[in-house]
Amino acid sequence: MYNLLLVDDEADTREALSNYFPWHDVGFQIVGQAGNGKEALELLARAEQPIDVILTDIKMPVMSGIELAEAVYEQKRPVQVIFLSSYREFEYAQQALTYRVKNYILKPAKYQVLLDVFGKIREEMQAAQEISAPARNNEDAHLQDEGGIISKIKAYIRDGYKEATLEDAAKQVHLNANYASYLFKKKTGQNFSEYLIQVKMEAAAKLMLNNHFKTYEISEMVGYSNAKNFTRTFKSFHGKTPSEYRNGSCQQ
């Protein structure tokens, strides 16, 4: 799980991003929030655990997102920065390139855009870790039956998708989590989080056929504590909201 810091002077925006997007499903956890770049730098300096990614607004009082990115760059911190802003001016994109900002997301941040951007960032970070610091406990992993490993991971997800995590899946096959993720992507063409969402959404669709269950109950049954997150993910996967899906099934 990678650590994410949200930076925006609008508390409502921070709250929405924090609560209405399934960060855990794409391998991230929010470990802090800041109202401007200065607060963000202070959090970085005293953070008990390393912050891997900063999602920051550009226009903020005290210290802007551009100034924050510049400070992170000059301090040579191993942190990836992503801009979130309603401003489309080319000069911002230019400055983002100067400070190696990874991406530029326009407000309001769309669900699928966040899913795509952070899914790609996770892949890149995992690949970098595999290259720079291969897991010493997995020196003989390449000798194992890769097909068997993937089968075991898939079985683990299907049997316990409600609570399934990459870290626990890796333990089931005695691998480092980063290597397990890399191997899963290599053999299946899907990220671990993508397959987990697929299994959850397929299970949810089956549960929708039972009219005794309410949507929020199905949400909890497949591992979503927030019904709004569940509904967004369901619609993104199936192309319909849970109620639309259920009504369509009943009419068939």
Side-chain angles (χ1 to χ4, degrees):
M1 197 69 67
Y2 293 105
N3 296 326
L4 172 66
L5 173 63
L6 292 180
V7 189
D8 197 299
D9 60 313
E10 297 177 356
D12 289 345
T13 298
R14 298 198 306 270
E15 186 72 13
L17 284 169
S18 176
N19 294 327
Y20 301 127
F21 183 76
W23 293 106
H24 278 234
D25 287 350
V26 290
F28 288 85
Q29 59 183 354
I30 297 174
V31 295
Q33 297 184 28
N36 58 61
K38 184 174 182 293
E39 290 180 10
L41 287 177
E42 292 171 352
L43 283 174
L44 278 174
R46 66 173 188 265
E48 295 182 357
Q49 49 189 329
I51 292 173
D52 303 298
V53 180
I54 296 174
L55 177 59
T56 179
D57 189 17
I58 288 181
K59 285 285 191 178
M60 295 182 293
V62 184
M63 177 182 281
S64 70
I66 294 287
E67 293 170 321
L68 170 60
E70 180 181 7
V72 168
Y73 176 77
E74 291 181 345
Q75 293 173 13
K76 294 182 170 59
R77 290 185 177 275
V79 182
Q80 297 197 22
V81 178
I82 303 171
F83 280 156
L84 175 68
S85 179
S86 57
Y87 294 86
R88 296 172 179 265
E89 285 87 341
F90 182 69
E91 64 181 282
Y92 293 124
Q94 286 287 79
Q95 291 184 63
L97 291 175
T98 301
Y99 302 124
R100 297 179 185 173
V101 173
K102 294 298 295 182
N103 219 310
Y104 188 98
I105 300 174
L106 292 175
K107 287 183 177 180
K110 294 183 178 179
Y111 181 93
Q112 191 60 48
V113 172
L114 288 171
L115 200 64
D116 292 342
V117 168
F118 279 89
K120 183 178 180 181
I121 287 175
R122 175 174 176 162
E123 288 180 17
E124 292 174 351
M125 294 174 71
Q126 289 172 337
Q129 287 179 337
E130 288 300 321
I131 293 172
S132 63
R136 291 169 177 77
N137 293 331
N138 300 315
E139 292 176 355
D140 62 345
H142 64 284
L143 299 175
Q144 299 184 38
D145 178 4
E146 292 183 352
I149 291 172
I150 299 306
S151 295
K152 288 180 181 178
I153 292 176
K154 285 187 172 182
Y156 159 79
I157 293 174
R158 290 194 300 271
D159 293 341
Y161 52 81
K162 180 178 179 180
E163 305 290 343
T165 65
L166 173 60
E167 289 73 18
D168 284 344
K171 289 178 182 178
Q172 301 298 314
V173 292
H174 309 292
L175 291 177
N176 167 273
N178 290 329
Y179 187 80
S181 176
Y182 162 78
L183 190 61
F184 192 88
K185 172 74 176 196
K186 173 186 172 184
K187 300 297 289 186
T188 69
Q190 284 182 294
N191 294 325
F192 176 90
S193 58
E194 291 173 339
Y195 184 74
L196 176 58
I197 289 174
Q198 174 187 325
V199 172
K200 286 185 175 184
M201 293 303 105
E202 289 174 349
K206 291 179 181 178
L207 290 168
M208 283 293 166
L209 300 179
N210 188 332
N211 289 323
H212 293 296
F213 296 128
K214 299 183 184 299
T215 297
Y216 77 87
E217 292 175 322
I218 295 175
S219 168
E220 293 176 353
M221 291 167 73
V222 298
Y224 285 82
S225 58
N226 188 308
K228 289 184 179 179
N229 285 348
F230 168 73
T231 298
R232 287 187 177 88
T233 305
F234 190 95
K235 184 174 182 180
S236 177
F237 186 86
H238 290 290
K240 298 178 180 179
T241 64
S243 59
E244 290 170 345
Y245 186 92
R246 172 171 276 166
N247 292 336
S249 300
C250 293
Q251 293 172 5
Q252 293 179 1

